[in-house]
Amino acid sequence: MGQKVNPKGFRLGVVRDWDSRWFGTRATTPGLLNEDFRIRRFIKHRHYGAGISRIEIERGTSNRLRVWVHTGKPGMVIGKGGVGVESLRKELAAISGKQVDLNIQEIKSPETDAQLVAESVASQLEKRIAFKRAMKQSVQRAMRQGAKGIKIMVSGRLGGAEIARREWTWEGSIPLHTLRADIDYGFAEAHTTYGVIGVKVWINKGQILPGLRKRPQAVNEGGR
């Protein structure tokens, strides 16, 4: 009882796709997995202020790597005249030893992206803004942008208290067990003078319904 599962992993193959798309053997999978981890860590640390939500990696049969970077501030990643993209592509090629095709995707609504909301709340906590105020403002902005529901939870030494505790706020509906519901999940950490405060965000973006399929007509058997 009380066990939790990541909402993204819970919906893989149903309404969500994998962020890493490739096949490997028993011998090559550990190395490729470590390479994906190093690529994501490098991009995230270098452009943390650009609001990077997720990074997709796709590998083909050739010596080529495709990387999609989803960011709320694409200008900070691209740089003036595309200098930032070209520099990042060369550094990723040095890390992976492969040719890298880099694509920058803009997030149209950062207020409804769970990872960006979690990082925004965490940055406000680091600036010593009251956690209740930070959560309430994020909830209001997400609901104004059309989210069906949002839940934010913070845990740690809130307000510098001696005993760590957990506080949360929500608005709307968050159907975590409905597989067709598009639940976005994000996690961030705020490093304050009192310790680390964890921030978790769930955002319901509505339901993803399958397309209408025509049922095949029944075939009469028995010669009639």
Side-chain angles (χ1 to χ4, degrees):
M1 296 296 293
Q3 301 301 313
K4 304 296 187 297
V5 63
N6 191 303
K8 294 181 179 179
F10 191 49
R11 288 163 175 79
L12 281 179
V14 182
V15 296
R16 293 186 64 91
D17 198 6
W18 283 259
D19 288 342
S20 292
R21 295 182 291 274
W22 46 267
F23 293 94
T25 63
R26 180 176 294 184
T28 61
T29 296
L32 296 177
L33 192 63
N34 183 49
E35 186 177 296
D36 284 4
F37 174 77
R38 288 189 290 116
I39 289 174
R40 287 192 171 95
R41 182 178 60 182
F42 176 78
I43 298 176
K44 189 70 175 178
H45 285 186
R46 177 170 177 176
H47 295 287
Y48 187 83
I52 295 178
S53 173
R54 62 192 181 100
I55 300 168
E56 296 182 79
I57 299 175
E58 184 177 288
R59 302 174 186 272
T61 55
S62 61
N63 192 30
R64 185 175 292 274
L65 195 66
R66 293 182 179 179
V67 179
W68 287 267
V69 179
H70 298 262
T71 173
K73 300 176 182 177
M76 296 181 63
V77 181
I78 296 173
K80 187 175 182 180
V83 177
V85 170
E86 190 61 31
S87 175
L88 183 60
R89 181 185 292 113
K90 292 180 180 179
E91 291 172 338
L92 294 180
I95 292 175
S96 61
K98 303 179 179 64
Q99 295 181 2
V100 177
D101 294 333
L102 186 61
N103 301 296
I104 308 300
Q105 299 286 337
E106 182 182 4
I107 298 175
K108 300 297 183 181
S109 179
E111 293 83 4
T112 57
D113 189 281
Q115 183 61 36
L116 299 186
V117 172
E119 292 179 4
S120 174
V121 174
S123 66
Q124 293 181 63
L125 295 178
E126 290 178 348
K127 296 175 183 177
R128 298 190 177 184
I129 295 176
F131 68 93
K132 288 186 178 180
R133 179 183 176 186
M135 290 194 298
K136 186 176 181 181
Q137 290 179 349
S138 298
V139 167
Q140 292 175 349
R141 283 195 294 264
M143 297 302 291
R144 281 198 299 265
Q145 291 296 322
K148 302 298 181 181
I150 177 174
K151 176 182 177 182
I152 302 178
M153 183 175 69
V154 294
S155 60
R157 294 184 59 186
L158 302 176
E162 290 292 331
I163 300 176
R165 69 183 192 276
R166 184 176 299 170
E167 296 282 348
W168 59 86
T169 183
W170 70 89
E171 188 172 340
S173 63
I174 309 290
L176 295 179
H177 283 263
T178 304
L179 286 177
R180 64 175 177 266
D182 186 11
I183 305 294
D184 194 14
Y185 172 76
F187 172 76
E189 291 181 345
H191 297 269
T192 67
T193 56
Y194 300 106
V196 178
I197 297 178
V199 182
K200 295 182 179 180
V201 177
W202 297 261
I203 296 180
N204 178 17
K205 299 183 178 180
Q207 294 189 359
I208 300 178
L209 300 176
L212 297 177
R213 299 178 181 177
K214 295 183 178 180
R215 297 182 59 186
Q217 295 181 356
V219 178
N220 294 327
E221 298 181 356
R224 293 186 180 181

